[in-house]
Amino acid sequence: MLTFQPWKTWITVIVCLLGVLLALPNVVPQKTLDAMPSWVPTHRISYGLDLQGGSHLLLEVDLKSVNKERLNGALDGLRTALLKEKIGYTQLAVDDEHLVVALRDAADADKVKGLIAQVDPDLATTSMPDGKLQVAYTQQSLIARQNQVVDQSIEIIRRRVDETGTKEPTIQREGDDRILLQLPGIDDPQHMKDVLNRTAKMTFQLVDESVSPEDAKAGHLPPGDELLSAEDISAGRVGQPQQYVINKRVMVDGGSLTGASASFQDNAPVIQFKFDSVGARRFADATRANVRKRFAIVLDKKVISAPVINEPITGGSGVISGSFTVQSANDLALLLRAGALPASLSIIEERTVGPDLGADSVRAGTTACLVAVGLVAMFMVVFYGLFGIYANIALFFNLCLLLAALSTLGATLTLPGIAGIALTLGMAVDANVLVNERIREEARHGRSVISAIDNGFSRAYATIIDANVTHLIAGSLLFELGSGPVKGFAVTLCLGILTSLFTTMLVSRLLVVWWLRRSRPKALPI
């Protein structure tokens, strides 16, 4: 007996009405939406770069510099270990992708290999024919570090982009060392490029006042020091920047910052910062032990300022002053809040999609969907009459539920996504075709109206579920293995399959049950 339980009826009606309500913001003008009651949802589907227009940037992570910096760290550790063990050497330097060690006494080679393993277990040592030791990181270690750096870079980029207020950016990995960044609605990406081009690695280091910059440039630079230039953040200044001899030892780094904001002090833009508990303790210890000495604030190997420590700073917060403009102070505060990039980025590809081209794509996609719906609706009415009309009503709710799902999940609609919607609408009536043909077949076998309809729905469901599950598996694989446009297509396809199952198994059946109860027909209108 063809039945439809009351709870199924209520669930179907409520879901359909909710779908229409959530889909409404996507089909009415913004002015009309603003005039509606406050309880009406206002969240619209976000358009991707190809529909809204914007900027496309392909970034490359400088993994070579990361490896070199890591080798330099190992070099410092090995130098300390060799001095402690009183082992003489004639060369200790980083050469390309290796660390080269030349010992005075070749008999110390085995002992030095043990020291290298203690400095970093990931280091592998090879004895060269000329007696030198060549030290490099293992391939497994390099791959692990590479993945870590790229993943960390993606997270930092996401924070920086979010801080600028850009909506619905696409940030994803491309290959081994590249990151794809798409910014819908951003026509001029120059400011974003300026934000991304800075590593924003901030450190607090002591100024070595025992040697002048002139002596350092003349070759009298102590082993633990480096010569850095001051960063002139204001525009339009001429002349050589001031230079400082900086101790390489980092007293506190920017990783301990918990907040940074632009402010004003003495009518000049400054940056206020605050450390976490660990950073505050280190900062207090460093300033307490170095009163009357100069303390350099270094950003990306440039000295922002080098004030004199007049007294210990124990509050865990401070102010960075310099030649800031209001914009540069805000940008630097943004970078410090988002965190430092583990490696520098270079832009290897840049494209801009105009809003007119995106609008044309939206119009073309909308036209394609309307044509698809119109042709499908005509086909169903011509071939199946009243049951075709019910299938078209189910198709309408299918489209509403699909738009509602995209809006609720915050999915970004792209041009391939529109293609997925058009394909879904075409496929959505497949299940209704299966049901209607099964009902016809049952009627030809002499069954009554109710029995034919009941068997038609019941026996078609197995085929419907099998077909849609296989499509869902294919769509899930596209989403998991694909990227960019493929993911957009997969999202709309998978959501469309789920809404099609709901409308076929519940909405279409409910409409037919209501018709049977009201009309009690003697023959099938199909």
Side-chain angles (χ1 to χ4, degrees):
M1 183 66 184
L2 185 65
T3 58
F4 206 86
Q5 291 88 345
W7 64 270
K8 285 186 180 181
T9 302
W10 282 110
I11 288 178
T12 304
V13 172
I14 291 173
V15 171
C16 288
L17 292 177
L18 189 60
V20 172
L21 189 63
L22 291 174
L24 190 64
N26 298 291
V27 295
V28 300
Q30 185 63 45
K31 290 183 179 180
T32 305
L33 196 62
D34 294 338
M36 290 184 176
S38 58
W39 52 268
V40 176
T42 58
H43 189 70
R44 292 171 176 258
I45 297 174
S46 300
Y47 288 160
L49 185 69
D50 50 359
L51 299 181
Q52 186 179 349
S55 298
H56 166 107
L57 300 174
L58 186 61
L59 310 171
E60 186 174 50
V61 184
D62 186 5
L63 296 176
K64 289 185 178 180
S65 65
V66 173
N67 185 42
K68 189 171 183 179
E69 183 178 349
R70 195 178 178 195
L71 285 172
N72 282 325
L75 182 147
D76 292 338
L78 182 58
R79 179 187 288 118
T80 302
L82 292 175
L83 291 174
K84 183 178 180 180
E85 296 294 329
K86 298 180 180 180
I87 298 175
Y89 58 89
T90 58
Q91 182 184 3
L92 182 60
V94 173
D95 180 17
D96 197 15
E97 297 181 355
H98 305 89
L99 175 62
V100 179
V101 185
L103 302 173
R104 286 200 176 99
D105 187 355
D108 292 329
D110 291 337
K111 188 175 182 180
V112 171
K113 289 180 180 180
L115 293 176
I116 292 171
Q118 292 177 13
V119 169
D120 194 333
D122 291 330
L123 289 170
T125 307
T126 305
S127 298
M128 305 301 292
D130 58 2
K132 295 180 181 180
L133 298 179
Q134 189 180 73
V135 185
Y137 282 98
T138 62
Q139 189 65 25
Q140 183 179 2
S141 172
L142 289 174
I143 293 174
R145 178 59 177 164
Q146 171 180 298
N147 292 333
Q148 181 185 9
V149 168
V150 175
D151 290 343
Q152 188 178 351
S153 297
I154 291 174
E155 182 59 31
I156 298 299
I157 290 172
R158 190 179 306 279
R159 291 182 198 168
R160 293 186 182 183
V161 172
D162 289 345
E163 286 276 357
T164 65
T166 303
K167 295 182 178 180
E168 302 299 335
T170 298
I171 307 171
Q172 60 190 29
R173 184 170 181 170
E174 293 281 333
D176 293 333
D177 59 352
R178 296 181 179 182
I179 299 171
L180 174 65
L181 175 60
Q182 292 184 335
L183 305 168
I186 304 296
D187 297 328
D188 182 11
Q190 186 57 48
H191 179 252
M192 187 63 66
K193 287 159 61 177
D194 294 339
V195 169
L196 295 176
N197 277 336
R198 304 191 70 172
T199 308
K201 184 175 182 181
M202 190 172 75
T203 57
F204 295 81
Q205 300 166 245
L206 290 173
V207 177
D208 188 350
E209 298 181 278
S210 64
V211 58
S212 67
E214 290 74 19
D215 291 339
K217 286 189 286 187
H220 303 292
L221 185 66
D225 290 350
E226 58 185 340
L227 185 64
L228 299 180
S229 299
E231 179 177 44
D232 188 5
I233 301 177
S234 63
R237 294 196 177 186
V238 296
Q240 294 294 325
Q242 186 176 356
Q243 292 184 310
Y244 298 90
V245 178
I246 306 296
N247 191 294
K248 288 183 179 180
R249 182 189 175 193
V250 176
M251 308 302 288
V252 191
D253 62 33
S256 300
L257 289 173
T258 58
S261 60
S263 183
F264 283 88
Q265 188 178 74
D266 299 328
N267 294 323
V270 296
I271 298 169
Q272 296 179 333
F273 64 88
K274 187 174 180 61
F275 288 112
D276 58 19
S277 58
V278 175
R281 185 173 64 253
R282 290 178 179 173
F283 194 65
D285 292 343
T287 54
R288 187 180 296 112
N290 296 281
V291 175
R292 304 299 176 190
K293 295 182 180 179
R294 302 189 73 178
F295 204 31
I297 303 172
V298 182
L299 180 72
D300 294 341
K301 295 297 182 179
K302 296 285 186 179
V303 179
I304 297 178
S305 63
V308 176
I309 303 173
N310 294 318
E311 59 183 357
I313 303 173
T314 58
S317 60
V319 173
I320 303 174
S321 59
S323 303
F324 294 110
T325 63
V326 174
Q327 183 63 50
S328 63
N330 281 313
D331 288 347
L332 181 54
L334 181 155
L335 296 176
L336 295 179
R337 287 195 302 270
L341 285 166
S344 60
L345 301 174
S346 58
I347 299 172
I348 60 175
E349 183 183 323
E350 178 181 352
R351 295 200 305 268
T352 300
V353 179
D356 293 338
L357 181 60
D360 291 342
S361 299
V362 173
R363 284 193 293 270
T366 303
T367 302
C369 288
L370 292 177
V371 170
V373 171
L375 292 175
V376 168
M378 289 175 56
F379 171 84
M380 294 302 294
V381 172
V382 169
F383 278 83
Y384 300 110
L386 181 63
F387 280 26
I389 294 175
Y390 291 155
N392 290 336
I393 295 174
L395 183 63
F396 167 76
F397 285 113
N398 184 8
L399 179 59
C400 290
L401 290 173
L402 180 54
L403 294 177
L406 291 172
S407 301
T408 305
L409 296 176
T412 301
L413 185 63
T414 61
L415 195 56
I418 292 181
I421 293 177
L423 178 62
T424 297
L425 295 176
M427 294 168 52
V429 294
D430 285 355
N432 287 286
V433 170
L434 287 173
V435 171
N436 291 337
E437 290 297 332
R438 189 70 187 184
I439 291 173
R440 279 180 172 175
E441 184 179 346
E442 295 293 331
R444 284 196 295 267
H445 290 164
R447 291 186 180 274
S448 64
V449 172
I450 294 179
S451 178
I453 293 175
D454 189 22
N455 285 326
F457 275 102
S458 301
R459 295 184 178 180
Y461 279 166
T463 305
I464 293 171
I465 292 175
D466 285 345
N468 283 278
V469 166
T470 54
H471 291 160
L472 192 61
I473 292 173
S476 301
L477 290 175
L478 284 175
F479 180 82
E480 183 66 26
L481 302 178
S483 61
V486 176
K487 278 185 179 289
F489 176 80
V491 167
T492 54
L493 179 63
C494 291
L495 290 176
I497 290 170
L498 295 176
T499 56
S500 296
L501 279 173
F502 175 84
T503 54
T504 301
M505 300 180 70
L506 293 177
V507 177
S508 296
R509 186 179 180 115
L510 177 61
L511 292 172
V512 172
V513 168
W514 282 351
W515 169 74
L516 280 174
R517 291 176 179 174
R518 184 182 66 255
S519 301
R520 299 187 180 278
K522 301 297 182 181
L524 286 171
I526 190 173

